[in-house]
Amino acid sequence: MLISALVAALLVIGGGVYSVTGPGRGRPSAKESEPATPSGSPSVDQGDGKGAGGGPDEYDLNAGIKPGEAPVWLSSNRTELPGSGASQYGPWRVGDVVVKVMFKEITAHGVGDGREKWKITLESGLCGVPRAPSADGKLVVGVKASDSEGAHCTHLQQIDLATGKAGWKTEVPQENSYDSAFEFNLVITGGTVAVARSAVVSGFSVTDGRKLYGTSKTGGCYPAAVGGGGGRLFNVRNCPDPNDAAGKSQVMIEEADPVTGAPKWNYLYDKGWNLGRIYSADPLAVAAYHSDRKVWNITAFTPDGKVRSQTESKFGVQSRCNGWGDGSGDLHGCVGAVVDADTLYIAAGKPGKDLGIDTTDEVVAVDLGTGAEKWHAAAPKGRAMWPLAVEDGKLLVYIQSGAGAAGAIAAVPVAGGGDPQVVLASPDAAKGAESVFYPSLVRMAWAGGRFFLLNGRVYSPKPTEVSHAILSFGR
């Protein structure tokens, strides 16, 4: 009966998946959205974090939990959304809460039970979210000028994720007559939030919102995107060639001072190459692709910008991990890449006809010093796998539910690979809920012994359908 209920409970619609069950046990409940003003709500959900229960289609994600399995909680979207839904960003663990961002909302859930601890609802929609907050839990997001259709991205809003309070809000001043955007490309590094848009990049203080610098000049190269972290800031620039009849340009990666914006060093790729992703800021490891040749490569840099290694990769990755065909400018869009001092560990699979693949059924370890592949570790048959973190000489990976098994965290020795050994498993009854987190959209995090899985896109609730938003298990 349980299996039948789970099968009946899943409905795939386009790129998103919905549950047709009611809010079953193991799911946090949530109240209506707060008024559209930047304000903290210290206790949105006064319940027990297990949902209302009582519905005929209710099922328990922790039913029949076995010794050694970790309890799981699941939260579904209850916010009415315009059009075709909204993207979600995060998840970020800050103390005893995990935070996600979506539409106009910044929401925190208790890490252990999923109860909604606080929610901030903004006056207008989000139009830019960095990959991570500052070290002290300050997040700065881009917001639109208004809720009107076609409104531009004009302001920055600070949120303190540790307290659940909205901080300063400031307008991003135009630097020239072309400085106008519907989206901001943002990165927080050190005490700076860098904002890229329409061939312009400027920096602002995360602490008080004051402007630190404007667009710097590097020859005839104009900024296209920003990335970084851990106190390092990188600009990606396009460098047009006025003598090229085809109008082709070259791409440059440049390290800049996050306080002044002044360039430190740069590296210019050959024509035809596009910088797709930054895997790590320190050490710097990036991916680039060549659309015409249908190849991609990995480049590792020394701290002063010299090429440490550069190798065209023979294995395949999702396009979100090499940037192919992606125009978002999100340099940190790869989910499934972990870097330590000498090695890149990346979710991979058999190369496809194009530069992106659908299934990542192995992890490849790449030596950053030589560019050589050190080892491959295969996922269990019929399941996908993504690296999460390196701890105690082992690579921790998430193995997606499938082939009759629920999702799990496993460990692979970094010294030599081998078969993944499960160290933390979710209950068998949770595998249906886990399976609806679509692989090409998910975002994930491992923090403090817990795993957090976020759906990259959610949809408005319907009477018999809800969109799974975030799931977690751990101890």
Side-chain angles (χ1 to χ4, degrees):
M1 291 177 65
L2 175 60
I3 294 172
S4 298
L6 284 170
V7 171
L10 302 178
L11 173 65
V12 178
I13 302 180
V17 183
Y18 292 78
S19 164
V20 296
T21 68
R25 292 186 298 273
R27 301 182 187 178
S29 59
K31 290 185 178 180
E32 297 294 326
S33 298
E34 297 295 307
T37 56
S39 61
S41 177
S43 184
V44 175
D45 185 347
Q46 300 292 340
D48 62 1
K50 297 182 179 180
D57 295 318
E58 175 188 311
Y59 67 92
D60 187 350
L61 298 178
N62 296 305
I65 189 169
K66 302 180 182 66
E69 293 179 341
V72 63
W73 58 259
L74 171 68
S75 175
S76 298
N77 177 55
R78 303 291 176 180
T79 300
E80 292 292 336
L81 301 171
S84 58
S87 297
Q88 289 200 123
Y89 302 91
W92 306 295
R93 179 170 181 169
V94 182
D96 62 353
V97 299
V98 59
V99 182
K100 64 183 182 69
V101 173
M102 181 273 298
F103 184 40
K104 297 180 181 181
E105 301 175 351
I106 299 93
T107 308
H109 296 271
V111 297
D113 56 18
R115 287 185 294 178
E116 195 172 287
K117 297 296 186 179
W118 53 260
K119 178 186 289 185
I120 294 172
T121 304
L122 304 176
E123 294 179 346
S124 53
L126 292 155
C127 55
V129 181
R131 72 179 183 102
S134 64
D136 60 352
K138 303 296 193 302
L139 183 70
V140 180
V141 297
V143 291
K144 295 180 179 179
S146 69
D147 258 350
S148 62
E149 187 176 353
H152 285 70
C153 198
T154 56
H155 287 74
L156 297 176
Q157 171 73 63
Q158 186 217 55
I159 308 293
D160 189 335
L161 302 187
T163 64
K165 302 294 184 182
W168 55 261
K169 182 178 181 180
T170 188
E171 186 173 7
V172 177
Q174 285 188 303
E175 294 196 16
N176 55 49
S177 59
Y178 301 101
D179 186 1
S180 178
F182 294 104
E183 295 284 339
F184 284 163
N185 171 220
L186 304 174
V187 67
I188 294 176
T189 183
T192 297
V193 54
V195 187
R197 71 277 180 201
S198 303
V200 175
V201 63
S202 47
F204 297 79
S205 167
V206 172
T207 302
D208 56 23
R210 60 190 169 85
K211 187 175 179 180
L212 299 176
Y213 63 84
T215 302
S216 61
K217 305 295 183 182
T218 302
C221 304
Y222 59 88
V226 288
R232 301 186 73 182
L233 174 66
F234 301 99
N235 296 321
V236 173
R237 294 178 179 268
N238 286 328
C239 306
D241 180 356
N243 299 316
D244 191 316
K248 290 187 176 181
S249 61
Q250 290 177 267
V251 170
M252 171 190 291
I253 183 169
E254 168 189 86
E255 181 167 11
D257 186 312
V259 178
T260 66
K264 293 183 175 182
W265 57 261
N266 60 61
Y267 173 81
L268 188 65
Y269 279 85
D270 292 337
K271 283 186 179 179
W273 286 93
N274 292 282
L275 189 74
R277 291 293 181 262
I278 293 178
Y279 297 133
S280 167
D282 191 14
L284 179 60
V286 307
Y289 63 91
H290 196 297
S291 297
D292 295 336
R293 292 179 51 209
K294 293 293 189 294
V295 294
W296 68 285
N297 69 24
I298 296 169
T299 305
F301 292 90
T302 63
D304 59 354
K306 302 295 190 298
V307 173
R308 187 177 170 188
S309 67
Q310 186 174 77
T311 308
E312 290 189 8
S313 302
K314 304 303 180 185
F315 54 87
V317 295
Q318 290 182 326
S319 57
R320 67 190 302 192
C321 278
N322 60 23
W324 175 75
D326 176 74
S328 70
D330 182 6
L331 296 177
H332 295 281
C334 177
V335 172
V338 173
V339 176
D340 61 22
D342 299 305
T343 308
L344 163 70
Y345 310 93
I346 188 166
K350 183 179 179 181
K353 293 181 180 179
D354 293 315
L355 289 175
I357 62 173
D358 293 326
T359 302
T360 57
D361 55 6
E362 67 174 354
V363 168
V364 177
V366 178
D367 189 317
L368 295 179
T370 65
E373 296 173 23
K374 297 170 69 173
W375 49 258
H376 292 227
K381 187 176 181 181
R383 300 169 73 180
M385 183 166 67
W386 295 275
L388 296 173
V390 174
E391 293 183 0
D392 301 323
K394 295 181 179 179
L395 175 70
L396 298 180
V397 299
Y398 171 60
I399 301 176
Q400 189 188 31
S401 64
I409 305 300
V412 180
V414 297
D419 294 332
Q421 301 298 312
V422 173
V423 296
L424 187 69
S426 58
D428 187 66
K431 62 178 179 286
E434 290 175 302
S435 69
V436 303
F437 286 75
Y438 198 62
S440 68
L441 296 175
V442 294
R443 300 172 187 268
M444 59 189 74
W446 171 262
R450 289 198 68 90
F451 174 67
F452 303 95
L453 185 64
L454 188 72
N455 237 344
R457 193 164 193 84
V458 291
Y459 303 86
S460 293
K462 295 182 180 180
T464 58
E465 299 171 0
V466 289
S467 184
H468 293 336
I470 184 170
L471 176 148
S472 177
F473 62 88
R475 296 192 179 94

